[in-house]
Amino acid sequence: MNLVWRVSVFVLCIGAFTSGALRPNVVKVGAIFTFSTINGKVARIAMKAAEEDVNSDPTNLGGSKLSIIMHDSNFSGFLSIIGALKYMETDTVAIIGPQNAVMAHVLSHIANELHVPLLSFTALDPTLSPLQYPYFVQTAPNDQFQMSAIADMISYFGWGEVIAVYSDDDQSRNGVIALGDKLADRRCKISYKAALPPDPTATRSEVKDQLVKLQMMEARVIILHTFSKTGLLVVDEARNLGMMDTGYVWIATTWLSTVLDSTLPLSSKTADSIQGVLTLRPHTPDSGRKRAFMSRWHKLSNGSIGLNPYGLYAYDTVWMLTRAMKLFFDQGGNMSFSNSARLSHLGGGALNLSALSIFDGGKRLLNNILQLNVTGVTGTIQFNPDRSPFRPSYDILNVIKNGYRTIGYWSNYSGLSVVTPEMLYSRPPNRSSSSQQLSSVVWPGGATKKPRGWVIPNNGRQLRIGIPNRVSYRDFVSRSGVNGTDKVQGYCIDIFLAAINLLPYEVPHKFIPFGDGHKNPSYNELVNMVTANVFDAAVGDITIVTNRTKIVDFTQPYIESGLVVVVPVRKLKSRVWAFLRPFTPFMLAVTAAFFLLVGTVVWILEHRINDDFRGPPKKQLITILWFSFSTMYFSPRENTVSSLGRFVLIIWFFVVLIVNSSYTASLTSILTVQQLSSPITGIDTLVTSNEPIGFQEGSFVENYLSDELNVPRSRLVALGSPEEYADALELGIVAAVVDERPYIELFLSDHCRFSVRGQEFTKSGWGFAFPRGSPIAVDISTAILALSENGNLQKIHDKWLLRKACASQATGLVSDQFHLQSFLGLFLICGISCFLALLLKFCLMMRQFTRHIPEETDPQTAGGTSTRSGRLQTFLSFADEKEGVWKSRSKRKRTDGSPNGYWNEEN
């Protein structure tokens, strides 16, 4: 009896172990979808086809059968939760779904708790983070990638602002947030977000109310991110409101491509409504498996619905789960479930929550899914480290009258291209602007020219253009009129009007003066009014400076500007020593020294061979002085015989020619032109002095001098009219006036007793100010460039600003004296020439001296001081003697054979 009991126990244990190790007969997988939607219908057919294909070959699951249990959520989040809980009561190893991101956020918490992988190819909210929801896997590219594709399209076509229309649910709302981030990276933005009730609850009246608001806005590029029912309602109502006509741009997310692929055929009303729309479709590369599945589709669906990419993803998701389960079983995994300790105390009641169990192998199955690297009907099934599908890409479709056409592709590998992504994968990634390409587009209304993307809002309001109400320099901006009929005119106004007349659209506007009319307004405040939306733009003599560019957008500068210093000029009285003014004292001293130097060098070179340079010391000194200074006026009477002397003189004559010409020109200018009596020579001397400085009231000059050049504000004096400039300078109230070049040119044309001192010390320009991101600023800039090219900009300038310049300003008075630096190169050349000539002369003399002067032979005095001094005296005597003398003496010495005579090296 004891033996029988032991055998029975052993058999039961072996049976239990064997049953635990064996694969189950059925592997249960749940699926949660809304069957009445396009994606729900397609997914249901595709998953059933995948289930049949898996079960048709027993080796796929090692003898187990795959059972996909489907649950219709019918647009209800509550029913989705109920369906998920029912699956968890029946030992389900995975769930495919849910269809939307709202329920994905909820069901992911259940999946995390019960370790059941949740796979979805339609809940593509980019915020479903794997860190927060580790058991949730998106098996199709999430919306972050299609928003990147849309942002690249916006940047490619050069639009700066878009409007987003979306369903106010998790997936659409978070997708629009992702779009905003991607656009910001490309210096674009979403100017308005129009939220609609979640699909499919939006009504026609709610849609119309939002679209009417959009009609009153500036942007004409509309991104429609919703689902098929709400999306078709939006485009239909937009067509009724005339928003599908020329000038609009509509870009729909992937919902529209599913309608185009699956709804056969489209109604004529729907087809008319969506003409010219751009849309995205998940790209699936062409392959034999894909073609084979597509050829089966008509039979699978009985012609009830067309296949779209999400049907392919549904089919691959089933196969993905199958491959992971087979690997799970091959690894020795068991389909075992255990009760949750957290749910055990919730037993009882109709919900029966205690029946929910944890899938013990859920973690291993999840890892198997994420590590797959197989090929399906959608291409390579592989996940990146961030759990996104491998190399996501999209087709870009353009809806036309007879259907749609593909105008290009987008991939996160190389951006926009007319070449399929799989062909680009064999090349290095290239996201440069030159590589981004799309085919031509037919836009809404049948237009083939790219829409501008924005218009002046059609709300009956004119653009409010702020202009400075100036009291001085009214040639730039002024207004005149009686009884409220103000006329605005001036140089800046004419340029603005000429620019908007070149635009291909109307710009209704009105000018609004800014300022009290008693003093020039603050231009910083005028620019701030644009930022504060008090004005839609600011037109006038507005300088483009750094602080202003931070808050507004400026057009292309229409005139150059820069700060200059103006001081009074007076006719200087003639002085006794005026003829010395062309050169500085140092320059005069250096020039005189070089005259003496050249005379001395020539004397040394000519002394031994030229009788004109010989004689008593007094005569030779006079010859040097005479020869030196006579070269300034005429060729000296002394002839130069040596080649080295002539070489030095040629260089020196060139130097004298340049110095004489410069001296004559400068002296003529000094004696005939008005000169500045002010010690101020430019902004540097003005800043370092302690003199008061005048500036134009209301301009940026005050802040520039104070903040950038650190001039104390106590030294700054605000001046208004040109007459105040003149009076302040004449009376010594200010030492100089600092203002912009265009103002100063007008001032000097009427006040010839003043002049500019120094050069411009800033470089800027004047432009028109618009709010940040305003597209009209770009068009006005283009028009200003056109005015410059056709010459009209110069004609407007001549009309308002052309004056006859005073002679005193024509000289551009900078400096009336020459410094040594101006002639340093010449003097260096002359000095080097003299040095080389002397060096060569010395070498020749030493050679002659060593050949013809005998060595001392007295050993007692060899190396002594007397011998060295004697040889030096002999050399000096040799150098002083005329060359013919020592030659004849040398012959006589050799003939006499004197032991102290000269030796001939040739013997």
Side-chain angles (χ1 to χ4, degrees):
M1 186 66 179
N2 188 30
L3 179 61
V4 173
W5 179 81
R6 290 182 179 180
V7 170
S8 300
V9 172
F10 177 79
V11 170
L12 288 174
C13 291
I14 293 296
F17 176 81
T18 303
S19 63
L22 292 177
R23 300 185 180 186
N25 294 328
V26 177
V27 176
K28 297 179 182 179
V29 175
I32 302 175
F33 286 92
T34 297
F35 295 162
S36 61
T37 62
I38 292 176
N39 285 339
K41 294 176 182 178
V42 171
R44 187 179 185 184
I45 297 171
M47 287 190 291
K48 281 299 181 183
E51 180 184 17
E52 294 176 1
D53 292 346
V54 170
N55 292 331
S56 65
D57 185 355
T59 61
N60 287 325
L61 283 175
S64 300
K65 290 289 185 179
L66 176 66
S67 175
I68 301 179
I69 306 169
M70 297 193 180
H71 175 75
D72 184 7
S73 61
N74 196 23
F75 297 104
S76 171
F78 176 74
L79 293 179
S80 297
I81 297 174
I82 296 300
L85 293 177
K86 288 174 61 178
Y87 291 146
M88 299 306 177
E89 293 179 2
T90 57
D91 296 341
T92 301
V93 298
I95 297 176
I96 300 177
Q99 188 169 342
N100 60 68
V102 177
M103 292 317 304
H105 283 276
V106 176
L107 299 184
S108 291
H109 291 286
I110 300 177
N112 291 348
E113 183 69 28
L114 302 180
H115 298 182
V116 176
L118 195 63
L119 290 74
S120 179
F121 48 86
T122 54
L124 304 177
D125 183 355
T127 66
L128 285 164
S129 167
L131 296 177
Q132 184 179 7
Y133 308 113
Y135 281 87
F136 180 77
V137 180
Q138 293 171 327
T139 58
N142 66 42
D143 286 345
Q144 180 179 2
F145 297 103
Q146 74 166 324
M147 294 309 169
S148 295
I150 292 175
D152 279 348
M153 292 167 61
I154 299 299
S155 177
Y156 173 81
F157 289 113
W159 297 312
E161 295 185 7
V162 303
I163 294 173
V165 180
Y166 64 97
S167 295
D168 196 13
D169 57 38
D170 285 354
Q171 181 158 325
S172 299
R173 187 188 312 112
N174 293 331
V176 169
I177 293 173
L179 174 62
D181 294 339
K182 299 299 181 182
L183 288 174
D185 293 340
R186 295 157 179 81
R187 299 182 63 84
C188 306
K189 67 177 183 179
I190 300 175
S191 60
Y192 182 75
K193 297 178 181 180
L196 299 173
D199 188 83
T201 61
T203 63
R204 184 171 292 273
S205 61
E206 291 170 330
V207 170
K208 183 177 181 179
D209 290 342
Q210 286 291 350
L211 293 180
V212 169
K213 292 180 182 178
L214 303 188
Q215 279 186 308
M216 310 300 290
M217 296 180 182
E218 186 177 82
R220 284 292 183 266
V221 181
I222 302 174
I223 311 300
L224 184 55
H225 184 45
T226 179
F227 300 95
S228 58
K229 183 175 181 179
T230 301
L232 293 176
L233 183 61
V234 170
V235 296
D236 183 56
E237 192 59 35
R239 178 174 176 270
N240 295 336
L241 295 173
M243 296 177 67
M244 284 291 176
D245 293 337
T246 304
Y248 282 89
V249 177
W250 285 83
I251 301 177
T253 51
T254 53
W255 68 267
L256 181 56
S257 64
T258 63
V259 173
L260 296 174
D261 290 332
S262 298
T263 304
L264 301 174
L266 289 174
S267 67
S268 59
K269 182 178 180 181
T270 301
D272 291 341
S273 298
I274 61 176
Q275 282 190 42
V277 177
L278 297 179
T279 186
L280 300 177
R281 175 173 61 191
H283 177 75
T284 54
D286 188 29
S287 65
R289 292 187 180 187
K290 177 181 174 181
R291 289 192 297 271
F293 185 74
M294 293 175 66
S295 64
R296 295 171 52 198
W297 183 259
H298 183 74
K299 180 179 179 181
L300 293 172
S301 64
N302 294 321
S304 62
I305 193 169
L307 176 64
N308 65 52
Y310 292 106
L312 299 176
Y313 280 112
Y315 184 84
D316 271 355
T317 299
V318 175
W319 271 102
M320 186 186 308
L321 190 56
T322 300
R323 302 293 187 196
M325 282 299 303
K326 183 178 185 302
L327 182 60
F328 175 81
F329 291 138
D330 292 344
Q331 294 170 342
N334 292 324
M335 274 188 52
S336 59
F337 295 84
S338 57
N339 294 329
S340 172
R342 298 186 183 184
L343 300 176
S344 59
H345 66 283
L346 299 177
L351 292 179
N352 193 23
L353 296 178
S354 60
L356 301 179
S357 57
I358 296 174
F359 178 30
D360 297 330
K363 181 66 174 179
R364 178 182 293 183
L365 179 60
L366 175 65
N367 291 335
N368 290 345
I369 293 172
L370 297 177
Q371 293 172 7
L372 285 174
N373 186 1
V374 296
T375 302
V377 295
T378 59
T380 301
I381 300 175
Q382 183 181 359
F383 290 94
N384 292 313
D386 61 353
R387 288 198 182 184
S388 63
F390 185 67
R391 287 178 175 171
S393 54
Y394 292 88
D395 302 332
I396 302 176
L397 310 180
N398 180 207
V399 183
I400 55 178
K401 186 173 183 179
N402 297 322
Y404 60 86
R405 62 192 182 99
T406 302
I407 62 169
Y409 307 90
W410 179 91
S411 70
N412 67 334
Y413 185 75
S414 293
L416 302 174
S417 176
V418 294
V419 181
T420 57
E422 50 269 22
M423 292 182 64
L424 295 176
Y425 294 150
S426 60
R427 310 173 189 173
N430 186 359
R431 298 298 294 267
S432 64
S433 58
S434 60
S435 69
Q436 306 300 292
Q437 295 180 354
L438 290 177
S439 300
S440 59
V441 180
V442 178
W443 304 99
T448 55
K449 181 180 179 181
K450 185 199 75 172
R452 191 170 65 249
W454 66 276
V455 296
I456 302 298
N458 185 22
N459 53 14
R461 182 175 69 82
Q462 298 176 317
L463 286 182
R464 300 160 298 176
I465 309 296
I467 60 171
N469 189 11
R470 296 194 60 89
V471 296
S472 62
Y473 296 116
R474 295 172 61 83
D475 301 82
F476 296 104
V477 180
S478 64
R479 68 183 185 121
S480 60
V482 184
N483 298 328
T485 59
D486 286 348
K487 178 182 179 182
V488 178
Q489 59 184 4
Y491 169 71
C492 304
I493 301 300
D494 280 6
I495 290 179
F496 178 75
L497 294 177
I500 63 174
N501 287 336
L502 292 179
L503 300 183
Y505 49 89
E506 294 293 329
V507 183
H509 62 277
K510 62 178 179 179
F511 293 111
I512 303 174
F514 174 74
D516 57 12
H518 300 294
K519 62 180 181 180
N520 292 331
S522 169
Y523 281 59
N524 286 334
E525 292 182 11
L526 175 60
V527 172
N528 287 331
M529 291 291 188
V530 177
T531 305
N533 202 32
V534 176
F535 297 133
D536 299 310
V539 170
D541 47 332
I542 306 172
T543 306
I544 303 173
V545 294
T546 303
N547 289 338
R548 296 172 185 172
T549 59
K550 295 177 180 178
I551 58 176
V552 295
D553 283 347
F554 280 97
T555 62
Q556 172 80 15
Y558 56 86
I559 188 174
E560 291 185 357
S561 175
L563 294 181
V564 292
V565 177
V566 174
V567 297
V569 294
R570 294 181 180 86
K571 185 72 174 183
L572 291 180
K573 296 181 181 180
S574 297
R575 295 182 298 177
V576 175
W577 302 102
F579 68 91
L580 295 176
R581 289 194 60 194
F583 290 160
T584 62
F586 186 61
M587 174 65 183
L588 288 172
V590 172
T591 305
F594 263 83
F595 273 104
L596 295 175
L597 173 65
V598 171
T600 304
V601 171
V602 173
W603 177 84
I604 294 173
L605 298 175
E606 296 288 326
H607 177 65
R608 302 186 68 243
I609 59 176
N610 193 337
D611 290 335
D612 291 339
F613 292 88
R614 298 188 64 80
K618 181 178 180 181
K619 178 186 175 183
Q620 294 184 49
L621 178 60
I622 294 173
T623 299
I624 292 174
L625 295 176
W626 167 257
F627 182 86
S628 300
F629 290 100
S630 64
T631 57
M632 182 183 296
Y633 310 104
F634 49 81
S635 178
R637 63 179 178 83
E638 291 83 6
N639 293 324
T640 53
V641 177
S642 68
S643 299
L644 292 176
R646 291 174 179 177
F647 169 72
V648 170
L649 275 184
I650 289 174
I651 300 297
W652 177 242
F653 283 153
F654 177 72
V655 174
V656 170
L657 174 64
I658 300 299
V659 172
N660 271 341
S661 301
S662 302
Y663 177 86
T664 303
S666 180
L667 183 61
T668 302
S669 174
I670 289 173
L671 297 178
T672 59
V673 182
Q674 286 183 337
Q675 297 298 312
L676 295 174
S677 61
S678 172
I680 296 172
T681 59
I683 186 61
D684 294 332
T685 55
L686 180 61
V687 171
T688 55
S689 70
N690 293 321
E691 300 293 330
I693 304 173
F695 67 92
Q696 184 181 178
E697 185 179 31
S699 73
F700 78 98
V701 178
E702 180 181 14
N703 290 333
Y704 180 83
L705 293 175
S706 176
D707 299 339
E708 301 296 331
L709 302 183
N710 298 318
V711 178
R713 291 186 180 268
S714 59
R715 289 180 56 193
L716 304 180
V717 180
L719 303 172
S721 64
E723 288 70 26
E724 287 188 52
Y725 281 21
D727 293 342
L729 288 169
E730 289 284 4
L731 298 175
I733 298 174
V734 296
V737 171
V738 176
D739 210 341
E740 296 182 70
R741 173 69 72 176
Y743 301 124
I744 294 302
E745 289 176 350
L746 285 184
F747 170 70
L748 296 180
S749 65
D750 298 326
H751 300 82
C752 294
R753 59 189 184 276
F754 306 100
S755 185
V756 173
R757 190 63 165 169
Q759 301 294 327
E760 291 182 348
F761 54 93
T762 65
K763 291 292 185 181
S764 58
W766 291 355
F768 305 134
F770 288 86
R772 294 298 298 269
S774 175
I776 194 173
V778 178
D779 289 353
I780 293 290
S781 293
T782 304
I784 290 174
L785 291 176
L787 289 174
S788 176
E789 293 170 358
N790 61 28
N792 288 334
L793 199 63
Q794 185 62 41
K795 291 178 182 178
I796 297 174
H797 177 276
D798 295 344
K799 171 186 174 183
W800 289 98
L801 307 181
L802 187 62
R803 300 285 194 277
K804 183 178 180 180
C806 299
S808 60
Q809 283 96 50
T811 62
L813 301 167
V814 178
S815 177
D816 57 3
Q817 286 186 318
F818 287 110
H819 297 264
L820 176 62
Q821 186 176 4
S822 303
F823 301 94
L824 185 59
L826 285 173
F827 286 136
L828 281 176
I829 294 173
C830 184
I832 293 172
S833 302
C834 292
F835 174 77
L836 293 176
L838 289 175
L839 180 62
L840 185 57
K841 179 66 174 178
F842 178 76
C843 292
L844 292 174
M845 288 178 61
M846 287 298 298
R847 182 172 179 271
Q848 294 170 351
F849 180 73
T850 55
R851 291 178 61 184
H852 298 285
I853 303 300
E855 299 289 342
E856 283 290 344
T857 59
D858 187 357
Q860 295 179 354
T861 60
T865 304
S866 61
T867 301
R868 286 196 296 270
S869 62
R871 287 187 62 79
L872 177 59
Q873 291 177 3
T874 304
F875 176 75
L876 294 178
S877 299
F878 170 78
D880 185 55
E881 280 186 332
K882 191 174 181 180
E883 187 172 335
V885 175
W886 63 260
K887 283 185 177 180
S888 60
R889 183 180 301 170
S890 175
K891 289 181 180 179
R892 186 170 62 252
K893 293 279 187 185
R894 287 197 302 270
T895 302
D896 295 342
S898 172
N900 294 326
Y902 299 109
W903 291 93
N904 187 350
E905 290 183 354
E906 294 177 358
N907 294 332

